[in-house]
Amino acid sequence: EVQLVESGGGFVQPGGSLRLSCAASGFTFSDYWMHWVRQAPGKGLAWVSLINNDGSHTRHADSVKGRFTISRDNAKNTLYLQMNSLRAEDTAVYYCVRDPPHCSGGSCHSNGFDPWGQGTLVTVSS
Amino acid sequence: QSVLTQPPSASGTPGQRVTISCSGSSSNIGSNYVYWYQQLPGTAPKLLISRNNQRPSGVPDRFSGSKSGTSASLAISGLRSEDEADYHCAAWDDSLSVWVFGGGTKLTAL
């Protein structure tokens, strides 16, 4: 069974740091691009970061650029999100998601974020 | 403020057909695939529609997606009480080089 399990969330003061982890199982982790997506309380979904399958390419939303870093350890089947200089507006449930490709005619596109982990809550407050 | 625009709420009676819209621009919906996610109360989102109109395995054919220009729609036919959920649209944005989401639509079965 394909599974993503996040951990590392918690309560932190503004300016603090946290590292989220996402343990992947049931599939060949190194074959897939991965993302972090967050959801503030009562709000919609917001994409945070992506990383390609070997970790050589990453991208972050402007709202977290320079503060958050996505990384992965393919030997440990684990995705990470290092979050520094946390702000109250970073309070959210953070989801780890897999991004399977759909390739046809020599080009590949996302086949949609699937599956999603159960999420881990990050609360930034004084 | 979300890049993609969805109505905050939608409703219908059991058995009815309901549609949810998602409006974007030429840099996202206009030039890329649209994806829909269903989020049942208290749970993580789940992929519902891929690449505009493709249903992943296990998704009932009551759910369908379509796209025209810079807008997309999710249709649910034969509405059931278990369809009550938040529905989110998403697309890649070529100008921003990021994934963008709609604000989500809360569907209620009356």
Side-chain angles (χ1 to χ4, degrees):
Chain A
E1 180 195 1
V2 175
Q3 200 168 11
L4 299 170
V5 179
E6 301 95 335
S7 60
F11 186 94
V12 63
Q13 293 188 331
S17 298
L18 276 178
R19 188 175 84 153
L20 306 184
S21 298
C22 170
S25 60
F27 64 100
T28 304
F29 181 65
S30 58
D31 283 350
Y32 293 89
W33 288 42
M34 300 291 294
H35 303 254
W36 288 98
V37 177
R38 68 184 180 183
Q39 186 172 34
K43 302 295 185 181
L45 301 172
W47 175 81
V48 176
S49 304
L50 69 79
I51 187 166
N52 70 342
N53 54 323
D54 66 6
S56 61
H57 171 66
T58 63
R59 189 148 191 99
H60 299 274
D62 284 347
S63 58
V64 307
K65 203 172 291 183
R67 301 186 299 122
F68 290 12
T69 302
I70 189 172
S71 63
R72 65 191 298 160
D73 185 334
N74 286 344
K76 295 183 178 179
N77 293 336
T78 303
L79 177 72
Y80 301 102
L81 185 67
Q82 178 66 45
M83 305 186 296
N84 299 329
S85 303
L86 282 160
R87 306 167 179 167
E89 55 264 36
D90 296 320
T91 294
V93 174
Y94 285 73
Y95 295 102
C96 162
V97 302
R98 186 182 72 164
D99 188 359
H102 173 79
C103 299
S104 175
S107 68
C108 295
H109 296 89
S110 173
N111 208 32
F113 296 164
D114 180 48
W116 296 58
Q118 86 287 353
T120 187
L121 176 62
V122 172
T123 303
V124 184
S125 175
S126 55
Chain B
Q1 197 81 344
S2 301
V3 174
L4 304 182
T5 301
Q6 296 180 238
S9 63
S11 62
T13 55
Q16 198 172 20
R17 184 176 187 270
V18 176
T19 61
I20 297 172
S21 62
C22 176
S23 177
S25 68
S26 58
S27 63
N28 42 65
I29 292 179
S31 51
N32 293 297
Y33 289 120
V34 177
Y35 305 82
W36 289 92
Y37 299 92
Q38 179 192 56
Q39 187 174 26
L40 296 170
T43 70
K46 168 194 139 181
L47 179 64
L48 190 67
I49 297 290
S50 171
R51 293 180 288 122
N52 299 338
N53 55 19
Q54 302 298 304
R55 278 188 311 276
S57 174
V59 174
D61 59 7
R62 301 186 295 105
F63 294 92
S64 62
S66 64
K67 186 184 102 166
S68 178
T70 59
S71 293
S73 290
L74 173 70
I76 307 168
S77 60
L79 185 66
R80 299 183 179 184
S81 58
E82 58 259 39
D83 298 333
E84 285 200 331
D86 292 327
Y87 292 85
H88 308 268
C89 61
W92 176 257
D93 190 295
D94 289 333
S95 295
L96 302 173
S97 292
V98 299
W99 282 92
V100 292
F101 283 89
T105 298
K106 184 176 185 63
L107 176 63
T108 302
L110 299 171

